């Protein structure tokens, strides 16, 4: 059992709390039983799994599954577990996984493009709050969206808070980081998707759109919204009606409203 905070593995995992180290090591953190269960359900390859003896004793079947998916499994003390976790009260298990495995594990590579250019897809520009991104991922999966594009200057897709806020749906939604979101949008249009931008002063409301068509929903930064460059190439611009004195809605709420309107239209077509 690992008990020393000076152990090389413990030091390596602790460094993954920072975005810089996650990029440098090309690893990210999975924390908690629920996320680990979802990773196993998706047969997601893991690098290292660390658990306390108590967690192993109460989750013997999950521990067995984890050992088949990971390269290294270690029993650690409570103090070590708390040191490597980013949460205040970790529930007994922390794992690491390779960053580059995300999309290959979720879908075969030759299908990822097809999925993200069909149905209802989200394109997020410069979203910074990990809680917002995780909630959007969770909502998109719940509403049956095909997938999600994320601009390169957004919060890391594998930020620990993003994974936790997604409630495990991170493993089940097709997602990709776009190095050039404008080019991705134009590719979507070439694939016969209608591109819908959200603007507070638009003439159309979001329920005026025919969401039965393949559609790409553009959502922008929490403070600044969408850039003029992206709104300018959208096929439609829509608003969400707000009562007087209300300036805006949270970006995750905006996503949810449009995703479920799309689901409603498809259900009753």
């Amino acid at each position: 059992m690992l008990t020393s905070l000076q152990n090389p593995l413990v030091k390596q995992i602790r460094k993954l709390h920072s975005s810089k180290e996650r990029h440098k090591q090309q690893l990210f953190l999975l924390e908690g039983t629920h996320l680990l269960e979802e990773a196993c359900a998706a047969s997601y390859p893991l690098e290292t799994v660390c658990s306390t003896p108590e967690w192993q004793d109460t989750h013997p079947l999950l521990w067995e599954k984890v050992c088949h998916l990971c390269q290294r499994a270690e029993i650690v003390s409570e103090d070590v577990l708390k040191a490597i976790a980013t949460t205040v009260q970790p529930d007994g298990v922390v794992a690491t996984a390779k960053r580059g495995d995300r999309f290959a594990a979720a879908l075969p590579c030759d299908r990822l493009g097809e999925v993200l250019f069909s149905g209802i897809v989200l394109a997020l520009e410069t979203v910074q709050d990990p809680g917002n991104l995780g909630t959007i991922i969770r909502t998109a999966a719940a509403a049956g969206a095909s997938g999600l594009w994320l601009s390169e200057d957004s919060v890391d897709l594998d930020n620990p808070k993003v994974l936790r806020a997604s409630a495990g749906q991170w493993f089940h939604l097709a997602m990709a980081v776009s190095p050039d979101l404008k080019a991705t949008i134009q590719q979507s249009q070439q694939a016969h998707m209608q591109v819908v931008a959200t603007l507070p002063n638009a003439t159309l409301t979001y329920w005026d759109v025919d969401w039965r068509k393949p559609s790409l929903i553009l959502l922008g930064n929490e403070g600044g919204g969408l850039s003029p460059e992206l709104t300018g190439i959208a096929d439609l611009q829509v608003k969400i009606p707000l009562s007087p004195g209300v300036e805006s809605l949270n970006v995750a709420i905006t996503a949810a409203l449009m995703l479920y309107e799309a689901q409603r239209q498809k259900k009753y077509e």
Side-chain angles (χ1 to χ4, degrees), residues 98-127:
K98 287 185 179 180
R99 301 187 78 228
D101 284 348
R102 167 62 186 87
F103 310 115
L107 288 165
C109 293
D110 60 348
R111 284 196 57 223
L112 185 62
E114 290 179 26
V115 170
L116 292 179
F117 290 117
S118 64
I120 303 295
V121 179
L122 296 166
L124 310 181
E125 181 188 30
T126 323
V127 170

Side-chain angles (χ1 to χ4, degrees), residues 119-120 193-199 202-218 234-240 257-266:
I120 303 295
M193 299 187 79
Q194 63 177 351
V195 176
V196 183
T198 49
L199 283 177
T203 303
L204 294 174
T205 57
Y206 71 95
W207 57 68
D208 292 322
V209 175
D210 183 356
W211 293 108
R212 295 169 298 178
K213 299 178 181 178
S215 304
L216 184 73
I217 300 172
L218 304 185
D235 302 304
L236 297 171
Q237 297 178 352
V238 300
K239 65 182 178 183
I240 295 175
L257 286 169
M258 292 192 287
L259 286 166
Y260 275 96
E261 172 60 17
Q263 189 187 79
R264 185 194 69 82
Q265 289 188 18
K266 290 182 178 181

Side-chain angles (χ1 to χ4, degrees), residues 16 19-28 47 96-101 158:
L16 297 177
S19 174
K20 180 180 178 180
E21 278 294 327
R22 291 194 298 274
H23 284 261
K24 180 180 177 180
Q25 296 186 38
Q26 284 299 295
L27 294 171
F28 67 96
E47 283 290 299
T96 66
K98 287 185 179 180
R99 301 187 78 228
D101 284 348
D158 49 29

